[in-house]
Amino acid sequence: MIQFWEEHKKKIIGVIAIAIVAVALFAGGKNLNASALESVLGFVVTPFQDLTTGIENWVDSTAASAKDKTALTEENAQLKADLAKLQDENKRLEQYAKENAALSSLLKISQKYPEYKSTGTKIIAKNPGVWYNTFTINKGTDDTVSANMILIAPGGVVGKILESGKTYSKAQSILDSRSAVPAMSVRTGDLGVVKGDYTLMNDGLCKMEYIDGEAQIAVGDEIVTSQLSDVYPAGLSIGKVTKIETDTNGLTKYAIIEPFVDLKHLDTLLVIDKNTLEEAP
Amino acid sequence: MRIIITIAMVLINFILQTTLLQHLAIQSIFPNTALIIVVSYALLRGSKEGCIVGAFTGLLFDVFFGTAMGYYTLLYFALSYFTGKSQKNFYRENYLLPILFCALAAGIFEFFQFLTELVLRKDGNILFFVIKIFLPTIVYTAVVTVPIYRILFGLNEWLELKEKYKYRLF
């Protein structure tokens, strides 16, 4: 055995290297659900990741609760006040909704606010390193989560699912340099593509590229997903413009986008399935 | 015995690295402990076993965080192979060489990722890379290598002793 290895060492290593490259080339760039091998590894590893993150959260919360009880009572009072205010507002808005429905039916406009079927999920592991921003969540095909579904958090888009195993899924945030989201500015309707960039990733920012050179986009504009994507549904908010620069070619502009969601400190997310559009009542 | 302990070690490191250890990051830089383990293992046990551990570690990263199968596998595989080649030429008790090798491997690892970004997505900001990623990673890796290498070295000694008894080598 050892002798065989010594004799054919170079050949064996060469063959393995070529095999890996071939697999990479054939499997590259496909958004498929996990293969058997991946599922097995996921089945072994994800429960422990879940556990470790759980323990971490528990320690965090216990430490916090012991530390600032007074702050919590204050916060509670504040929240109660806020709640009362919001309830009041909600009642008012409900009336608006009713009025809106009545008026729309008068005008025969079928107005649809997109409301998708959603599943709550948690992040259980993150990609180490500074280059990419992918993470693992604790829902998989068992919970009808599958590839190319969208992840959102209160405020806006977080990313999409790359691959789903039985009990876990691999997701990519919009800060990842491999991610690209067709987007537009709400105010002016200028189109562009929101891309991640590793130089901005660690500040939690991303970049909107390919904006027309004469576009009227300005700092503070809200950016939402455009209808040009077949993965992201239109109209989900992404973030706001913090800076606009002209590209070196002078023909296009790019904007630095600050996402509404704090993508550096995410915990709980929603997975939405864009194929199950539920009409708003 | 060795196989079980090695697999457990790689898996435990993977679980910790993707969850708890991220809180120890300074400016979102934390050394790649998986790489340190792979390189140390290759230095302690030679290129053959190093390659296997490297490929397995890379496979884990590919499965959970890669978009294309094989990128990390190849990278870890190659790094462990080349470090394993130099195993016969140094004293294991000496800490300087593992530190040097781990720092170098981490540097090469980051550089390859930079190269991939540059070639595939033309996102090449060499100044940002060197100052914000390359140098901090090398320094931080060199520091973290010491405890990890110590643990691996102790584990290896213990296992080798057990193996000697088992095969009646003395």
Side-chain angles (χ1 to χ4, degrees):
Chain A
M1 181 68 197
I2 302 275
Q3 205 183 353
F4 178 79
W5 167 260
E6 289 298 334
E7 263 177 41
H8 303 282
K9 192 152 61 177
K10 277 188 185 148
K11 281 181 206 161
I12 293 171
I13 289 171
V15 166
I16 293 173
I18 290 167
I20 294 172
V21 171
V23 168
L25 286 179
F26 283 119
K30 283 182 193 161
N31 283 332
L32 297 173
N33 283 344
S35 63
L37 171 73
E38 293 177 315
S39 275
V40 167
L41 278 174
F43 191 71
V44 175
V45 172
T46 43
F48 290 103
Q49 287 176 329
D50 211 348
L51 186 73
T52 332
T53 315
I55 292 170
E56 190 185 311
N57 289 343
W58 180 78
V59 171
D60 249 16
S61 61
T62 344
S65 75
K67 203 166 63 186
D68 41 27
K69 258 192 181 144
T70 46
L72 279 177
T73 26
E74 258 170 47
E75 200 187 337
N76 196 16
Q78 176 69 34
L79 285 174
K80 268 180 189 160
D82 280 358
L83 183 67
K85 208 173 117 195
L86 285 174
Q87 270 172 344
D88 183 45
E89 209 161 277
N90 203 9
K91 262 181 208 152
R92 210 158 45 81
L93 290 175
E94 254 170 39
Q95 280 169 357
Y96 277 135
K98 268 182 206 156
E99 196 184 302
N100 188 12
L103 291 174
S104 318
S105 68
L106 271 177
L107 287 167
K108 299 207 166 51
I109 303 169
S110 65
Q111 223 167 8
K112 269 184 214 160
Y113 288 108
E115 217 168 84
Y116 302 98
K117 217 174 155 189
S118 60
T119 323
T121 184
K122 273 189 143 177
I123 294 180
I124 53 173
K126 279 190 191 125
N127 189 7
V130 288
W131 294 95
Y132 302 119
N133 201 336
T134 50
F135 46 86
T136 318
I137 58 173
N138 66 355
K139 289 278 166 73
T141 45
D142 280 359
D143 306 282
T144 68
V145 168
S146 68
N148 280 340
M149 283 185 183
I150 307 303
L151 288 163
I152 55 168
V157 187
V158 172
K160 67 168 182 182
I161 290 176
L162 291 174
E163 193 182 289
S164 258
K166 256 184 121 44
T167 55
Y168 73 98
S169 299
K170 194 157 91 181
Q172 180 183 55
S173 92
I174 53 172
L175 299 185
D176 192 296
S177 59
R178 295 166 295 193
S179 134
V181 187
M184 67 177 209
S185 126
V186 175
R187 192 175 59 87
T188 57
D190 295 319
L191 296 171
V193 178
V194 171
K195 285 186 171 185
D197 190 317
Y198 68 85
T199 53
L200 300 170
M201 195 181 92
N202 297 318
D203 304 324
L205 303 172
C206 45
K207 201 171 171 183
M208 181 166 165
E209 288 183 0
Y210 315 129
I211 306 170
D212 193 78
E214 285 161 11
Q216 296 297 312
I217 194 167
V219 171
D221 279 3
E222 191 188 342
I223 303 295
V224 298
T225 52
S226 77
Q227 56 276 72
L228 294 176
S229 170
D230 56 350
V231 175
Y232 291 89
L236 296 174
S237 53
I238 298 173
K240 65 170 194 287
V241 177
T242 55
K243 199 170 147 197
I244 294 170
E245 305 256 341
T246 308
D247 266 324
T248 40
N249 60 21
L251 296 171
T252 53
K253 288 183 191 172
Y254 69 85
I256 307 294
I257 311 288
E258 190 190 352
F260 288 131
V261 185
D262 182 9
L263 290 156
K264 300 296 289 176
H265 305 100
L266 280 174
D267 184 18
T268 319
L269 302 172
L270 277 182
V271 187
I272 59 172
D273 184 356
K274 62 178 179 298
N275 297 319
T276 58
L277 190 70
E278 288 172 359
E279 277 181 40
Chain B
M1 189 67 184
R2 178 176 282 280
I3 295 171
I4 294 169
I5 285 186
T6 309
I7 290 177
M9 193 177 69
V10 171
L11 282 181
I12 288 171
N13 169 66
F14 181 74
I15 289 163
L16 288 181
Q17 196 188 351
T18 54
T19 54
L20 278 177
L21 291 182
Q22 305 218 341
H23 293 278
L24 299 177
I26 297 174
Q27 296 252 319
S28 43
I29 301 271
F30 188 75
N32 190 344
T33 45
L35 188 69
I36 297 176
I37 287 185
V38 167
V39 169
S40 310
Y41 202 87
L43 283 175
L44 287 168
R45 298 290 299 174
S47 63
K48 192 167 68 171
E49 284 173 48
C51 274
I52 299 169
V53 176
F56 181 63
T57 312
L59 193 71
L60 269 178
F61 279 95
D62 266 333
V63 165
F64 283 103
F65 300 112
T67 45
M69 205 68 185
Y71 178 77
Y72 287 117
T73 313
L74 200 60
L75 209 51
Y76 280 98
F77 184 81
L79 283 174
S80 54
Y81 178 73
F82 288 117
T83 36
K85 278 274 156 202
S86 62
Q87 182 230 0
K88 291 188 187 77
N89 306 331
F90 83 109
Y91 294 109
R92 295 189 219 172
E93 289 78 4
N94 189 351
Y95 277 68
L96 200 62
L97 215 69
I99 291 171
L100 223 74
F101 265 98
C102 284
L104 197 70
I108 293 171
F109 188 81
E110 298 295 324
F111 182 68
F112 264 95
Q113 304 219 22
F114 173 70
L115 223 59
T116 320
E117 282 289 305
L118 184 71
V119 172
L120 296 183
R121 279 175 284 276
K122 71 172 183 60
D123 262 352
N125 188 342
I126 188 97
L127 244 134
F128 179 90
F129 168 68
V130 171
I131 294 169
K132 287 273 170 100
I133 300 176
F134 189 73
L135 294 177
T137 308
I138 285 186
V139 174
Y140 208 170
T141 304
V143 174
V144 174
T145 302
V146 179
I148 294 181
Y149 185 76
R150 183 73 199 86
I151 294 168
L152 280 180
F153 179 74
L155 217 72
N156 188 49
E157 289 283 286
W158 181 69
L159 281 170
E160 269 174 8
L161 201 70
K162 284 200 91 154
E163 274 159 12
K164 272 182 200 158
Y165 274 118
K166 195 175 166 192
Y167 299 117
R168 307 253 186 278
L169 287 178
F170 64 94

